[in-house]
Amino acid sequence: MMEASEIKDIAKKCVIFETLDDEGFDLFLFYGEQRDFPSGATIYRTGEGADGTFCLILSGAVEIVTQTGRWIRKMGPSEIIGEIGATGPQNKRTVTVRAIEPTRLLEWDIKYIHTRWPPLLKKLKERAWKHLAQYYESTK
């Protein structure tokens, strides 16, 4: 398990958390659940239900791949994954995310954010749209 102070340092680098004050930030991190994935494990698969969850990458690295197997990009610590599926109307994963080295994530359920941190939800949605546009561009 990672220390709370370590998690906070990683999360602070993520732009979507800028709206949270210190108290809100601590509480928000408290609601997250740490999850570990070995290298090669699939974290999300295109088309599967999103269950309203999204994650902050704490350590390791993941690759983002389209349904057709096209590589989009690599992501690492302090980046968010799963926000498109978690905030989208279909509630489905739009890309496949695989761990390319042992990876630790902090996972949240969008339900908590919806009621407690509406500005954060707005930022997540904006980010989701931006990523969707990038993914769409890369599949052309």
Side-chain angles (χ1 to χ4, degrees), residues 14 26 29 37 40-41 47 51-52 55 69 76 93 95 112 117 125-126 128:
C14 184
D26 287 342
L29 294 180
F37 292 88
D51 297 328
C55 302
R93 299 297 175 200
V95 289
Y112 292 125
W117 296 283
K125 286 183 174 178
E126 285 165 7

Side-chain angles (χ1 to χ4, degrees), residues 55-75:
C55 302
L56 173 71
I57 302 170
L58 294 176
S59 64
V62 302
E63 62 178 358
I64 311 294
V65 184
T66 66
Q67 195 162 10
T68 57
R70 185 194 298 241
W71 191 85
I72 298 177
R73 68 192 194 110
K74 180 180 165 183
M75 295 176 80

Side-chain angles (χ1 to χ4, degrees), residues 45-134:
R45 186 171 275 112
T46 309
E48 70 184 10
D51 297 328
T53 59
F54 71 99
C55 302
L56 173 71
I57 302 170
L58 294 176
S59 64
V62 302
E63 62 178 358
I64 311 294
V65 184
T66 66
Q67 195 162 10
T68 57
R70 185 194 298 241
W71 191 85
I72 298 177
R73 68 192 194 110
K74 180 180 165 183
M75 295 176 80
S78 81
E79 292 193 88
I80 293 279
I81 58 170
E83 80 288 355
I84 298 172
T87 62
Q90 279 84 33
N91 198 22
K92 291 219 183 313
R93 299 297 175 200
T94 50
V95 289
T96 294
V97 179
R98 265 195 302 265
I100 46 179
E101 57 188 67
T103 298
R104 175 166 289 166
L105 303 173
L106 192 61
E107 183 180 69
W108 291 275
D109 191 315
I110 204 89
K111 284 197 304 277
Y112 292 125
I113 292 150
H114 185 72
T115 51
R116 290 177 181 83
W117 296 283
L120 186 63
L121 184 63
K122 186 172 179 281
K123 281 212 167 202
L124 268 178
K125 286 183 174 178
E126 285 165 7
R127 189 152 194 95
W129 280 109
K130 214 162 98 180
H131 279 157
L132 256 182
Q134 284 172 350

Side-chain angles (χ1 to χ4, degrees), residues 22-40:
D22 239 24
E23 198 179 320
F25 195 58
D26 287 342
L27 187 64
F28 181 69
L29 294 180
F30 173 78
Y31 275 103
E33 185 186 334
Q34 289 187 47
R35 297 187 62 201
D36 289 298
F37 292 88
S39 185

